[in-house]
Amino acid sequence: MVVPLTPYVPDFITVHLGAPDEDAQNVIVSFPDYIKNVASSEIYPTWSDAAIYANIYAQISYALNRVYTEFYRSRGYDFNITSSTAYDQKFIYGRNTFENIDRIVDDIFTSYIRRIGNVEPLAAKYCNGTTVTCEGLSQWGSEELAKQGYSSIDILKYYYGDNIEIVNNAPIAGIVSLYPGRPYKIGDTGGSVVIIQQSLNEISNDYPLIPKISPVDGIFGENTENAVKVFQEIFDLTPDGIVGRATWNKMIMLYVGIKNLAELVSEGQDYPSFKLEFPENLTIGAVGPRVSSLQYYLLIISKFDPRVTSVPVTGEFGQLTANALKQFQMAYDLPVTGILDNATWDKIYDTYTSIMNVVLTDSYKFQNNITNS
């Protein structure tokens, strides 16, 4: 499984019908139905379309922020969000929704707000603007602005600042816990390891006994293990250097808190940026984390380029890896040897980086035909 480093829209979301610690029912609803319910509970269907769009963008973004940051899951809860307006946004289980709100949600439920340069959906907090005021969007104020001719994006920028953009057509997936369901240890590679390394480096700014991990390369080596052990010692966890569920939850909870990712004013999560230096020629029979890294990059590339076959991340350079490498070399006009040399390594890395930057960033650019609604 490739762990997503970018936000996605979940097929379904689990809502706790009460405050977090209240003994209340959990319900699982489709994400669009959840937003339709929230919008129908929070705002009026008679408002201007621009105001309705602006409010729904905020509601989607807020919910996706809860999912992306694993805000409740990392605290040991078995749900993604609550129905309590003291903590989240209003959700009335079983209520009817409004036709025009349903139509707008169906139009934009894969769109959300983010700060330019950040990854996470904005924790787009809001209030009614009459009995309750807050830093974020004013619901009644948004309607007044719409009456003055403001577009939905103008309204959002009025309340959240000019440094925001709308991400459109975000991928839809089942809820994927960033924790892979098994402990992470030396020899593991991939997106989850990047998250571990980034999180520990950020936490070490407040807890300097934790050694910095450099480079952040997605390879769980001795430096990462040492940092994990110190982290575990500081927070009274078993100092085995293995990232199990308890260590993961504590790490993610601290990381989200330190960077304020679940707050309107956030330091922000940027895309991972690292470059692995070319190690040495790799061919059939090679083993170790460098092979795992090669396989991980080829796996990501195969998701977007049908000319390259998917390869499992095993850390062992076998015939499947050689075949995938040959396919890559053929597709990108390199000598077809099945051997990882310097030129092939650089091309693989550049292709992977292009996927991360173009597919996961540029394809989600602001689109005027939606945001001018």
Side-chain angles (χ1 to χ4, degrees):
M1 178 183 70
V2 178
V3 177
L5 292 175
T6 60
Y8 62 95
V9 175
D11 290 319
F12 296 90
I13 188 168
T14 301
V15 186
H16 184 67
L17 301 181
D21 291 325
E22 185 178 346
D23 184 13
Q25 180 184 3
N26 287 351
V27 296
I28 300 174
V29 295
S30 75
F31 188 77
D33 286 344
Y34 167 76
I35 296 298
K36 291 172 184 177
N37 187 304
V38 169
S40 296
S41 302
E42 289 277 6
I43 59 177
Y44 289 89
T46 55
W47 283 0
S48 308
D49 272 5
I52 295 176
Y53 268 87
N55 278 270
I56 292 175
Y57 280 129
Q59 292 156 3
I60 293 169
S61 302
Y62 185 88
L64 292 183
N65 181 275
R66 285 297 200 234
V67 172
Y68 179 79
T69 62
E70 297 193 332
F71 186 82
Y72 289 110
R73 297 285 187 182
S74 68
R75 289 160 170 77
Y77 295 106
D78 59 352
F79 50 83
N80 306 113
I81 200 165
T82 76
S83 66
S84 169
T85 55
Y87 296 89
D88 297 304
Q89 44 198 11
K90 186 184 292 186
F91 175 88
I92 303 172
Y93 185 51
R95 69 153 298 152
N96 293 323
T97 57
F98 300 106
E99 184 177 348
N100 65 320
I101 285 179
D102 291 350
R103 172 181 53 81
I104 292 173
V105 171
D106 286 336
D107 185 27
I108 65 169
F109 77 91
T110 58
S111 302
Y112 60 87
I113 313 163
R114 73 176 175 197
R115 299 269 179 221
I116 295 172
N118 289 355
V119 177
E120 78 279 3
L122 182 68
K125 297 184 178 181
Y126 57 86
C127 52
N128 64 24
T130 53
T131 59
V132 179
T133 58
C134 61
E135 274 188 275
L137 179 144
S138 163
Q139 293 170 319
W140 279 102
S142 69
E143 172 62 359
E144 288 302 315
L145 291 176
K147 288 179 178 178
Q148 296 173 34
Y150 282 62
S151 69
S152 60
I153 189 63
D154 290 336
I155 293 170
L156 293 172
K157 287 184 175 182
Y158 180 88
Y159 289 110
Y160 298 127
D162 289 332
N163 64 332
I164 62 169
E165 61 186 352
I166 301 295
V167 173
N168 294 307
N169 302 318
I172 301 173
I175 289 283
V176 178
S177 171
L178 295 179
Y179 180 70
R182 63 172 179 82
Y184 261 64
K185 58 186 184 301
I186 278 189
D188 286 325
T189 62
S192 287
V193 178
V194 172
I195 293 169
I196 290 167
Q197 293 171 329
Q198 285 188 316
S199 298
L200 289 173
N201 278 350
E202 188 66 32
I203 294 166
S204 72
N205 292 331
D206 286 359
Y207 297 89
L209 286 178
I210 300 173
K212 293 286 188 183
I213 301 167
S214 181
V216 174
D217 56 9
I219 300 173
F220 200 125
E222 289 185 3
N223 289 343
T224 302
E225 183 186 53
N226 291 337
V228 170
K229 285 181 178 178
V230 175
F231 173 84
Q232 291 168 327
E233 289 171 354
I234 291 172
F235 293 101
D236 296 322
L237 299 162
T238 302
D240 55 10
I242 297 172
V243 180
R245 169 63 75 178
T247 298
W248 178 275
N249 283 348
K250 186 69 174 179
M251 182 180 62
I252 294 300
M253 184 176 70
L254 286 168
Y255 178 72
V256 169
I258 288 170
K259 293 182 75 71
N260 291 322
L261 298 185
E263 301 297 330
L264 181 58
V265 179
S266 165
E267 182 179 332
Q269 166 66 47
D270 55 7
Y271 285 98
S273 177
F274 55 87
K275 174 67 182 282
L276 296 180
E277 297 301 323
F278 176 66
E280 68 274 331
N281 283 6
L282 296 178
T283 187
I284 287 180
V287 296
R290 293 293 182 182
V291 177
S292 296
S293 181
L294 165 65
Q295 293 168 329
Y296 175 66
Y297 284 174
L298 288 173
L299 176 62
I300 295 296
I301 292 167
S302 73
K303 302 297 182 183
F304 299 93
D305 189 337
R307 297 174 297 178
V308 180
T309 302
S310 175
V311 58
V313 180
T314 63
E316 299 176 359
F317 197 129
Q319 192 61 54
L320 289 177
T321 302
N323 291 343
L325 193 56
K326 287 179 181 179
Q327 291 171 344
F328 178 88
Q329 291 170 327
M330 183 177 296
Y332 292 89
D333 297 323
L334 295 164
V336 182
T337 62
I339 297 171
L340 181 67
D341 56 20
N342 196 7
T344 303
W345 179 260
D346 285 345
K347 189 64 178 179
I348 286 174
Y349 177 80
D350 289 344
T351 304
Y352 167 81
T353 301
S354 295
I355 289 171
M356 294 296 289
N357 289 339
V358 176
V359 175
L360 300 178
T361 305
D362 291 347
S363 67
Y364 295 156
K365 289 299 183 184
F366 177 90
Q367 296 183 14
N368 290 329
N369 64 322
I370 290 180
T371 54
N372 285 335
S373 299

